[in-house]
Amino acid sequence: MLKKLFQSFRSPLRRFPHPRRTPEILSSRQHSLHRDDLSRHAVSVVERLQQAGYEAYVVGGCVRDLLLDLDPKDYDVATSATPEQVRAEFRNARVIGRRFKLVHVHFGREIIEVATFRANHPEEDDDDASPMASRNESGRILRDNIYGTLEDDAQRRDFTINALYYDPSSERILDHTHGVKDIRNKLIRLIGDPEQRYQEDPVRMLRAIRFAAKLDFEIEQHSAEPIADLAELLNDVPAARLFDEIIKLFLSGKAERTFELLLEYELFAPLFPASAEALEDNPEYAGTLIRNALANTDERIAQGKPVTPAFLFAALLWPALPARIAEAQARGLPPIPAAQEAAHDIIWEQCQRTAIPKRFTMPMREIWDMQERLPRRQGRRADQLLENPRFRAGYDFLLLRESAGEETDGLGEWWTEYQEVNDSERRNMIRGLSKEDGSGAPRKRRRNNRRKRGPNESTPSSAD
């Protein structure tokens, strides 16, 4: 009795049953998708499972992307077979995951991900169900291995555009949630009650942003409405998972649009608290620098050039650095130690929100450190900096700072010219620095080689 009484007060987390409906079935004449457009390995997995007596479909983002004439990044299969049954059908398969058990079927470098039809979580926390499904106090799903029917699986997916099931054998699309209509209307619509679905998994808010940016869609009004109020739920998401989501957000080729949507829906601050504060204090400089960095990232991806998360995070966090350096200097630290301490603190704090791996935090520090070293060009220093493996990233970052309006006394232009001229002209450029006040590194004081004199020794006169 007490258990039922307590459960009655948990209305935000109680699940209302979805209305049962017959799916809309689109024949091959009603859509543009053909089985030859799919990965042959995905088709073979589906057909093999069907031949073994199971239901199986190609599902999710690959169906959506093919309908939009985009190249799918990967292929997913949904089936009535349990993970163990799928594993028994394929010698090249491996069961993975604990929170959400899946099967990976390997075909060389290509992996076909196979998931069993999932059902909604039980309305009550039955003891028998707890090993298969569980939530935390805020409603976030911790384990999700409740199996169900095809219709159950469609209703528990996140967005309507991701709940389309394609049968390569009959070339039909099964649409339980009007996903095809939303694709035609360019809408991101959450399945079910938006507030409850975001509570189940706050990362769905970031996924809504990512799909809207990637596909140039709008977030449907009811799906968008709760996002700003629930943004703080991202604080409960594991930092490692948030790092993975940020990589997807900003390295999909639509980083600049993604940034604008994160600001619009108040999701940027939970991800980058220090940068959000800097953006509020100095919106013109911080906003221009971040937007220029993201635009450059999008351009490089479009050109097929490599992009490193280290440079991306260095740019996203840089606007927070000057204020921290000023605070450290106000406590009496010299400029270089103040910069090092500020960099360490900002990166450490960011890692509490998004677990940036060390293979990226170290290059970040080196890119920032290069900003202190680039002005020091006297003697052999300029040539030594050119040979530094981080020079190019540091130089690009310098140009990024200048593009945001930061004054560097023409440092970027100097380094651009220095890379283009021959050795003789480089020597002239170095000599020219010594004639300019405040340019290059400060000269070292000349050592006085005179022997120290005792208190009774006199100083020789200039006439001697």
Side-chain angles (χ1 to χ4, degrees):
M1 292 293 294
L2 287 174
K3 183 177 180 181
K4 290 184 179 179
L5 177 64
F6 285 130
Q7 287 171 346
S8 68
F9 295 117
R10 296 173 54 202
S11 56
L13 298 184
R14 292 182 64 83
R15 181 176 288 278
F16 296 93
H18 293 288
R20 294 277 173 179
R21 62 168 67 94
T22 302
E24 181 181 1
I25 300 176
L26 287 78
S27 68
S28 58
R29 292 191 224 173
Q30 296 173 286
H31 61 79
S32 58
L33 187 53
H34 190 272
R35 63 177 283 149
D36 292 340
D37 299 328
L38 277 69
S39 159
R40 62 186 180 88
H41 295 132
V43 172
S44 70
V45 168
V46 169
E47 291 182 339
R48 187 164 172 180
L49 287 170
Q50 290 176 343
Q51 290 166 6
Y54 304 108
E55 288 184 86
Y57 303 89
V58 177
V59 66
C62 57
V63 179
R64 174 201 69 217
D65 288 348
L66 288 169
L67 289 173
L68 290 167
D69 292 325
L70 301 174
D71 292 329
K73 181 183 64 175
D74 47 37
Y75 287 84
D76 297 335
V77 170
T79 179
S80 60
T82 66
E84 291 73 20
Q85 289 170 333
V86 175
R87 174 68 183 85
E89 291 295 324
F90 298 93
R91 295 178 59 188
N92 53 332
R94 185 164 66 95
V95 178
I96 66 164
R98 296 178 63 185
R99 175 181 176 271
F100 192 99
K101 195 177 287 188
L102 301 166
V103 178
H104 279 178
V105 185
H106 295 256
F107 297 91
R109 289 188 173 183
E110 184 176 11
I111 296 175
I112 306 301
E113 189 168 273
V114 183
T116 305
F117 295 150
R118 256 53 173 198
N120 291 321
H121 280 230
E123 293 187 20
E124 299 182 1
D125 294 332
D126 296 329
D127 294 336
D128 293 340
S130 59
M132 303 299 292
S134 63
R135 306 171 186 263
N136 67 4
E137 294 178 356
S138 66
R140 181 165 66 87
I141 292 177
L142 302 177
R143 188 175 296 110
D144 185 12
N145 289 307
I146 300 292
Y147 302 138
T149 65
L150 169 61
E151 183 174 347
D152 292 332
D153 193 72
Q155 296 297 340
R156 59 153 293 282
R157 288 185 176 269
D158 49 8
F159 303 104
T160 60
I161 61 173
N162 293 338
L164 300 173
Y165 297 76
Y166 178 73
D167 182 356
S169 301
S170 62
E171 296 194 302
R172 299 183 307 167
I173 291 178
L174 278 64
D175 182 1
H176 289 79
T177 61
H178 304 296
V180 171
K181 180 180 178 181
D182 284 336
I183 287 177
R184 290 169 180 161
N185 293 330
K186 297 189 172 183
L187 284 178
I188 306 294
R189 186 191 306 272
L190 206 64
I191 299 171
D193 177 64
E195 185 172 348
Q196 182 174 331
R197 300 307 304 275
Y198 291 141
Q199 287 177 331
E200 289 175 351
D201 186 359
V203 168
R204 285 178 177 143
M205 295 184 284
L206 300 181
R207 286 170 59 81
I209 298 296
R210 176 157 61 90
F211 292 136
K214 173 185 174 181
L215 304 174
D216 196 23
F217 281 19
E218 296 293 328
I219 302 177
E220 181 268 334
Q221 179 182 351
H222 292 95
S223 301
E225 189 175 354
I227 291 179
D229 292 336
L230 299 178
E232 63 181 14
L233 292 178
L234 290 174
N235 296 328
D236 296 331
V237 178
R241 189 177 179 209
L242 278 186
F243 172 79
D244 292 338
E245 291 300 323
I246 286 176
I247 294 301
K248 294 175 185 177
L249 283 168
F250 289 116
L251 296 185
S252 64
K254 301 289 184 179
E256 192 174 8
R257 172 68 176 148
T258 296
F259 175 65
E260 302 298 345
L261 288 172
L262 289 173
L263 293 179
E264 179 182 347
Y265 290 101
E266 301 181 27
L267 293 174
F268 185 72
L271 299 177
F272 296 93
S275 299
E277 185 178 345
L279 194 60
E280 186 175 349
D281 293 340
N282 192 351
E284 185 175 352
Y285 169 73
T288 302
L289 186 142
I290 291 175
R291 287 182 177 91
N292 288 351
L294 298 178
N296 291 341
T297 298
D298 290 341
E299 185 177 354
R300 290 183 65 86
I301 291 173
Q303 295 172 352
K305 295 180 179 179
V307 177
T308 171
F311 192 94
L312 176 67
F313 275 92
L316 287 168
L317 297 177
W318 175 266
L321 199 59
R324 295 294 186 91
I325 293 174
E327 291 175 7
Q329 287 182 306
R331 299 197 310 268
L333 280 178
I336 292 180
Q340 292 173 341
E341 180 184 287
H344 174 273
D345 290 347
I346 286 176
I347 291 175
W348 183 86
E349 290 170 11
Q350 184 60 38
C351 285
Q352 308 311 300
R353 297 299 306 120
T354 57
I356 310 172
K358 193 173 182 179
R359 67 180 183 276
F360 299 133
T361 59
M362 291 297 291
M364 284 171 58
R365 292 286 298 268
E366 291 168 353
I367 290 170
W368 288 350
D369 180 61
M370 192 65 70
Q371 307 312 297
E372 294 287 334
R373 300 175 63 185
L374 286 173
R376 302 169 180 270
R377 299 159 283 170
Q378 293 283 10
R380 296 285 302 167
R381 287 177 175 172
D383 289 334
Q384 290 170 351
L385 283 173
L386 273 181
E387 297 171 1
N388 190 299
R390 297 294 176 199
F391 169 78
R392 185 68 200 188
Y395 164 73
D396 288 343
F397 200 86
L398 169 64
L399 298 184
L400 177 65
R401 291 166 50 207
E402 291 181 338
S403 73
E406 194 169 334
E407 292 293 334
T408 64
D409 294 325
L411 187 61
E413 184 180 354
W414 190 94
W415 275 110
T416 300
E417 182 180 356
Y418 192 79
Q419 295 175 75
E420 295 173 350
V421 300
N422 58 36
D423 287 342
S424 175
E425 291 174 300
R426 286 180 178 179
R427 300 287 74 75
N428 289 335
M429 292 179 67
I430 297 296
R431 282 192 291 269
L433 290 175
S434 61
K435 299 175 184 178
E436 301 173 8
D437 293 333
S439 296
R443 290 185 178 183
K444 290 184 179 180
R445 294 180 58 187
R446 214 178 257 182
R447 293 180 62 184
N448 189 343
N449 293 326
R450 293 181 181 176
R451 180 175 59 88
K452 290 184 179 181
R453 302 180 183 277
N456 297 326
E457 294 185 72
S458 60
T459 304
S461 65
S462 58
D464 288 345

